[in-house]
Amino acid sequence: MFVSQLLPGPAEMPGVALSLVLLLFRLPAPGAEMVLVTTGLDVTINIRQAVGSPSFADCQMCIVGDGDIVCHQEYRFLPNVSLLINFTCADPQHAFIMDVKKDIGEDHDLEDLLPQDLPRLNTTYIWAINVPYKVGVRINFDGTPVWQTDLAHCPDLVQYRVTGHVQYDNTSEVPVGTFCRNGTISNLKIQGRTLITLEVPWSEVNDDTGFQLSFVPPIGMFSVVTAILQPGSLVYFMSANWPLGFPNDELMSWKVAVPPNYHATVTEENFTKPICVKREAGWFFGRSVLGKISGQFHNTFIITLQNCDMDYSYSSRLDFRFLVQVFNDYHDGFEIDLQRQDGVSVRLNQLLDSSNGLSCICRTPVSSDCAPELQVGPGDHLNVSVHFKCNPETDIAAEVTTNISCEVFPDCSIRQMDLVVPDTISSWPLAQQTFKWLVEAPAELTIELSTKRLKLQQLVPGERCDGNITYSMSTLCEHGLRSTLGLFCPGGAVDMIQTADTVSLELLTTDGWNTKDMDIRLAFVPRVTEDYIVKVSPVAGAPVHLLTPNWGEGMASKMTVSWDITVPEEQVVKLSFLNQSMPVCLHGHVFVSVDQQRDDSTVTNFRETDALPTHPLVLPHRFWLNVSNCEPEQGQLNLVVHLVVAQPEVTTDVLLIVAAAAARSGPDHRHRTGGVLRETLMCKRQRPPLAYGIYNPSAGRGKRRFGKSREDNESHIYAVIDEDRVYAAQFHKAQLVSIPEVDVYRPFQGPMGDQPPSRGPLPDAMVTNEIYTFVVKKQDAGTNGEMVTFLGSNDTPAS
């Protein structure tokens, strides 16, 4: 025999002891359960046989009282009694169910709402709160918040059902809703009479109601639901009497609190409107103004449902169901770890207007520490989040700066160092990223930026890179920006850039960029005197544009730039000046020179007062293009140079001119002009590769020259005649600057200089007579090579 409780208390009736003694002499069957049930003040308990339970003969509920034992299928325990129950089976929870009802008035004690020591049966607790309509009833679920459901039962089979009444129909119950445990609703308020039920399965150990009751002043509407949302909440709310229609001419509201650093969105799931006689039905945000307001909510917001005076001749009704979702105020964060990144700093900047108080960039976990800008210095380590109102891909820009400097000349050991972006930085969820390298060298050295596989293409204004990265190169001086060399894309003809100034190289990226698209190498090399030296290797089928520094705003005063331009074998480069503007010089002159890297070549010079050629210059050999600025008085120096690799052309006109010159000159001259013809054809057929020298910082500003003795150079056998201006019209027709030159019937194959020629003009020595006018070729000082000129019938040198 199992006895839940055998000893009666002092307040129990005298017959209980006697009944207990009698019961002990009539022992129940083995496995039966005995329990003492005591009802309190205003509490009634009803135990009845469950539908579909075992037959009455298999499990009986027997009441011991007044010396008698009576078995029942249903028994109602009135308030303030104590009776001993014997269940004749071991599992009465499968045969019986129990209702426990407590009546509560306005003057009742609201503590101890749940009777204790009851049989373990499927139980429904009922609290009938009978108060005047002017009294508000508050049901506080602060300890165990609940959530509203439209299902018949909650997942754990523990559910609260709350019912109210309308003012003028005190007999008509209106369900507020069914609620399950572990939710977000912290309390309910109902106006007037309220009924609360709690259904608990027998397996649930229930020693607490899960709520507290209190009376409050009138709430001004049928009911108020208060919810405190949690991170990640997704909560449905339904109008009272869902889905059978909200009461006529009533109000209901939901007061929803949003956790800090989160925001909530409201989505209307279902909304049906009745036919109204008076007023309008609808839902709105706030308390008093009808009209929907869309948006996202922080802190606490209120939704109010208002019904009208409905026309009952129609079946339409007011029903409302909506969804509230909670989102983090911040997008997924990312880590900025500069502890192992030497000389690296990061600046984050929001692109949205911050005048309205919006701050996009937040430190985490202290996410309230937000600002429109964040600076992270070398060695720092922190996590960053982006406010939900800001899109990290469009509204946040990152600038990552790496400082590379060498202060002492002997310690500068950088040789071909790849400029790379650390993986931890390139993986940030920010599409707009700029990576900057500030490179500073001592006075004895020059900064060299080169490419290994992806040569650079300089952009003209209005052009954009086909890929997702762009380079911007500038130089700095003590007072800030000195000049901008320009914008460059991977995939071009620029092999190398040298400058003596501090370099600012920026990598501008767009969405989808890849670090594999980078190919910039840094080296410190011996000092050069030019402001910029750019090595260019054009190829056939890929036109090249070169712009002077600071294009548009004008090249800086007294600045020089030199392009070292190679010419592919068996081909020529056509050089054109596409866009130009020249200043008026206050001091000095602008010089634009084209100097082929051959000892026997001419230098083509232009000043700011000269007109640049409108037709392409055809250049068969590697050459220097030098531009130097004066000190301008007004205007700017801007040049755009266009390079195209083409096949050399030898026209019939040129051959006729050479033949005519030989016929008029007699045997000796025919011998020399025959060399010209041979050289012309050899340039066309079998031009040998050019030899390249290695830069020597001690060579000064001029080209390197290698002297020959008279015995070595054989210039006494065949000399070169420059006939640029002899048959100028015919040469221009063939788009040739000059007749190819000859040295013992061979093209020049000596070493070439890698340092640009000295700035400034090299004046041409003019030779004129009645037949010919031509330019004397350059001759290196210190050599004994002779320059023989043909002067027509006079044979008298010009003075």
Side-chain angles (χ1 to χ4, degrees):
M1 179 179 65
F2 176 79
V3 179
S4 297
Q5 183 171 344
L6 291 177
L7 299 177
E12 296 169 356
M13 295 182 296
V16 173
L18 178 60
S19 299
L20 180 60
V21 172
L22 294 174
L23 180 63
L24 292 175
F25 286 101
R26 296 178 58 190
L27 296 176
E33 181 176 352
M34 184 179 295
V35 61
L36 181 65
V37 176
T38 300
T39 60
L41 183 66
D42 301 317
V43 175
T44 58
I45 298 176
N46 188 50
I47 300 177
R48 65 186 186 276
Q49 201 165 23
V51 177
S53 64
S55 66
F56 180 65
D58 295 332
C59 189
Q60 301 180 33
M61 174 181 61
C62 301
I63 306 297
V64 180
D66 295 331
D68 196 9
I69 298 177
V70 181
C71 296
H72 304 271
Q73 286 182 300
E74 180 174 356
Y75 190 84
R76 181 180 176 83
F77 296 83
L78 297 176
N80 213 25
V81 299
S82 182
L83 294 173
L84 191 63
I85 302 175
N86 177 53
F87 292 103
T88 61
C89 59
D91 51 358
Q93 67 272 12
H94 299 306
F96 294 92
I97 60 175
M98 178 171 59
D99 294 332
V100 180
K101 181 181 180 183
K102 181 177 179 64
D103 291 303
I104 300 174
E106 188 177 4
D107 55 351
H108 275 66
D109 181 12
L110 300 181
E111 301 293 333
D112 300 325
L113 298 179
L114 187 69
Q116 302 295 319
D117 300 321
L118 298 176
R120 295 279 298 275
L121 306 175
N122 293 336
T123 303
T124 299
Y125 297 94
I126 304 168
W127 293 272
I129 305 169
N130 300 295
V131 293
Y133 190 76
K134 66 178 181 180
V135 177
V137 178
R138 173 173 171 158
I139 309 169
N140 193 344
F141 294 100
D142 278 350
T144 54
V146 295
W147 54 279
Q148 189 175 6
T149 181
D150 56 356
L151 302 175
H153 299 283
C154 294
D156 61 358
L157 301 179
V158 176
Q159 50 260 346
Y160 296 89
R161 304 183 194 275
V162 180
T163 302
H165 296 77
V166 296
Q167 182 175 5
Y168 301 109
D169 186 0
N170 213 25
T171 61
S172 178
E173 295 182 346
V174 179
V176 176
T178 300
F179 304 91
C180 307
R181 296 185 298 182
N182 301 318
T184 60
I185 296 175
S186 60
N187 69 74
L188 302 171
K189 293 179 184 176
I190 297 93
Q191 189 68 45
R193 280 197 335 123
T194 304
L195 188 69
I196 306 171
T197 66
L198 170 60
E199 299 174 17
V200 181
W202 69 269
S203 57
E204 183 79 17
V205 177
N206 190 48
D207 54 5
D208 186 13
T209 61
F211 62 86
Q212 297 83 40
L213 280 180
S214 61
F215 299 131
V216 296
I219 63 176
M221 54 186 65
F222 174 75
S223 65
V224 176
V225 178
T226 299
I228 301 175
L229 303 179
Q230 301 300 319
S233 292
L234 186 154
V235 186
Y236 287 94
F237 296 96
M238 286 148 277
S239 56
N241 206 35
W242 168 271
L244 302 178
F246 188 66
N248 184 71
D249 206 18
E250 280 286 358
L251 288 170
M252 178 181 182
S253 71
W254 294 263
K255 184 178 181 181
V256 183
V258 182
N261 302 325
Y262 286 81
H263 67 280
T265 61
V266 177
T267 305
E268 176 189 293
E269 291 284 318
N270 298 94
F271 180 58
T272 61
K273 294 180 68 172
I275 303 300
C276 297
V277 176
K278 291 188 300 184
R279 289 176 293 280
E280 183 182 354
W283 68 277
F284 53 92
F285 295 105
R287 294 182 181 275
S288 59
V289 180
L290 186 62
K292 190 189 303 184
I293 304 173
S294 61
Q296 295 163 326
F297 300 92
H298 288 77
N299 302 321
T300 300
F301 64 95
I302 295 174
I303 294 179
T304 300
L305 179 68
Q306 172 182 297
N307 203 356
C308 63
D309 187 358
M310 297 187 296
D311 187 344
Y312 285 101
S313 62
Y314 295 91
S315 61
S316 61
R317 59 183 180 266
L318 175 64
D319 277 317
F320 182 41
R321 170 187 164 101
F322 63 95
L323 169 67
V324 178
Q325 291 178 274
V326 177
F327 299 94
N328 196 317
D329 272 354
Y330 308 96
H331 295 276
D332 291 339
F334 57 94
E335 182 182 31
I336 300 180
D337 187 359
L338 305 181
Q339 297 178 100
R340 299 177 183 87
Q341 307 296 329
D342 292 339
V344 178
S345 60
V346 176
R347 178 177 175 267
L348 301 181
N349 184 53
Q350 80 179 47
L351 305 178
L352 291 178
D353 183 16
S354 60
S355 60
N356 58 359
L358 176 63
S359 294
C360 293
I361 306 163
C362 307
R363 295 171 179 257
T364 55
V366 187
S367 54
S368 59
D369 183 10
C370 301
E373 183 179 317
L374 177 64
Q375 186 76 36
V376 185
D380 288 349
H381 182 202
L382 73 156
N383 293 312
V384 175
S385 291
V386 178
H387 195 276
F388 82 99
K389 290 187 176 180
C390 311
N391 186 341
E393 294 190 358
T394 58
D395 302 333
I396 306 295
E399 183 179 276
V400 181
T401 301
T402 302
N403 286 277
I404 303 173
S405 62
C406 184
E407 297 179 358
V408 182
F409 169 59
D411 297 336
C412 295
S413 58
I414 294 179
R415 296 290 186 271
Q416 303 303 319
M417 180 184 80
D418 291 326
L419 298 184
V420 297
V421 175
D423 292 337
T424 56
I425 295 177
S426 61
S427 62
W428 292 346
L430 306 176
Q432 300 195 42
Q433 299 184 59
T434 300
F435 301 94
K436 181 185 293 185
W437 289 266
L438 291 179
V439 185
E440 185 175 4
E444 297 87 352
L445 296 178
T446 282
I447 297 167
E448 178 180 284
L449 298 177
S450 61
T451 65
K452 181 178 171 182
R453 51 187 176 84
L454 299 174
K455 298 178 182 180
L456 299 178
Q457 169 193 351
Q458 188 168 13
L459 295 180
V460 298
E463 278 189 333
R464 298 180 63 181
C465 293
D466 293 334
N468 298 313
I469 65 174
T470 304
Y471 297 102
S472 175
M473 180 177 172
S474 303
T475 55
L476 307 177
C477 60
E478 183 180 355
H479 305 292
L481 180 68
R482 182 164 188 245
S483 70
T484 299
L485 183 59
L487 296 175
F488 298 86
C489 301
V494 176
D495 299 284
M496 176 268 290
I497 300 170
Q498 292 180 336
T499 181
D501 293 320
T502 297
V503 168
S504 171
L505 179 68
E506 291 187 18
L507 170 63
L508 312 174
T509 65
T510 57
D511 191 21
W513 76 283
N514 194 318
T515 55
K516 294 180 180 178
D517 295 332
M518 293 184 59
D519 180 31
I520 300 292
R521 312 182 84 185
L522 169 67
F524 290 148
V525 299
R527 182 75 172 186
V528 298
T529 54
E530 303 292 305
D531 292 301
Y532 290 106
I533 295 178
V534 182
K535 183 177 179 181
V536 185
S537 300
V539 295
V544 177
H545 290 96
L546 303 173
L547 284 70
T548 50
N550 250 29
W551 197 93
E553 297 180 6
M555 196 164 159
S557 175
K558 300 181 180 179
M559 176 171 281
T560 64
V561 57
S562 295
W563 290 275
D564 179 7
I565 302 169
T566 62
V567 178
E569 293 185 20
E570 305 294 337
Q571 292 177 311
V572 297
V573 167
K574 295 182 178 181
L575 182 153
S576 304
F577 298 97
L578 294 187
N579 201 331
Q580 57 181 285
S581 66
M582 290 289 180
V584 175
C585 293
L586 179 64
H587 297 293
H589 290 285
V590 170
F591 293 109
V592 179
S593 65
V594 179
D595 183 6
Q596 295 195 70
Q597 298 192 45
R598 290 168 58 91
D599 284 343
D600 53 356
S601 64
T602 59
V603 178
T604 305
N605 284 299
F606 305 95
R607 299 202 306 189
E608 75 280 2
T609 55
D610 298 328
L612 294 177
T614 57
H615 296 289
L617 302 180
V618 180
L619 302 161
H621 307 292
R622 177 181 174 185
F623 63 94
W624 285 102
L625 170 62
N626 307 89
V627 178
S628 59
N629 198 9
C630 62
E631 183 180 340
E633 182 178 13
Q634 62 182 26
Q636 299 91 26
L637 172 57
N638 290 298
L639 289 179
V640 177
V641 178
H642 180 69
L643 304 178
V644 175
V645 174
Q647 293 294 328
E649 298 177 5
V650 177
T651 67
T652 305
D653 292 340
V654 174
L655 298 177
L656 291 175
I657 292 169
V658 174
R664 295 181 56 185
S665 305
D668 293 339
H669 193 191
R670 280 198 300 271
H671 190 64
R672 286 192 294 270
T673 54
V676 174
L677 177 58
R678 291 188 186 92
E679 177 66 1
T680 301
L681 296 176
M682 290 176 68
C683 283
K684 173 70 177 176
R685 296 175 189 167
Q686 54 179 20
R687 205 174 119 219
L690 298 177
Y692 295 93
I694 299 176
Y695 170 64
N696 182 352
S698 64
R701 303 189 59 87
K703 288 197 307 181
R704 297 174 63 188
R705 302 298 187 186
F706 295 84
K708 298 186 197 176
S709 66
R710 183 174 177 84
E711 296 176 353
D712 294 330
N713 65 21
E714 298 182 319
S715 60
H716 60 288
I717 301 176
Y718 296 104
V720 177
I721 302 174
D722 189 330
E723 301 193 30
D724 282 39
R725 306 197 182 185
V726 178
Y727 300 103
Q730 295 297 332
F731 289 159
H732 289 163
K733 199 173 187 184
Q735 297 187 341
L736 296 174
V737 175
S738 63
I739 295 175
E741 299 142 57
V742 63
D743 183 4
V744 196
Y745 296 120
R746 294 191 303 271
F748 177 71
Q749 301 182 44
M752 296 298 157
D754 281 348
Q755 186 179 5
S758 59
R759 93 175 63 167
L762 295 177
D764 298 332
M766 305 302 298
V767 181
T768 63
N769 67 5
E770 56 188 17
I771 301 177
Y772 306 119
T773 300
F774 52 92
V775 181
V776 176
K777 309 312 290 182
K778 294 184 301 179
Q779 191 73 8
D780 285 346
T783 69
N784 60 356
E786 297 176 357
M787 178 61 67
V788 179
T789 59
F790 179 64
L791 302 178
S793 59
N794 292 338
D795 269 23
T796 305
S799 57

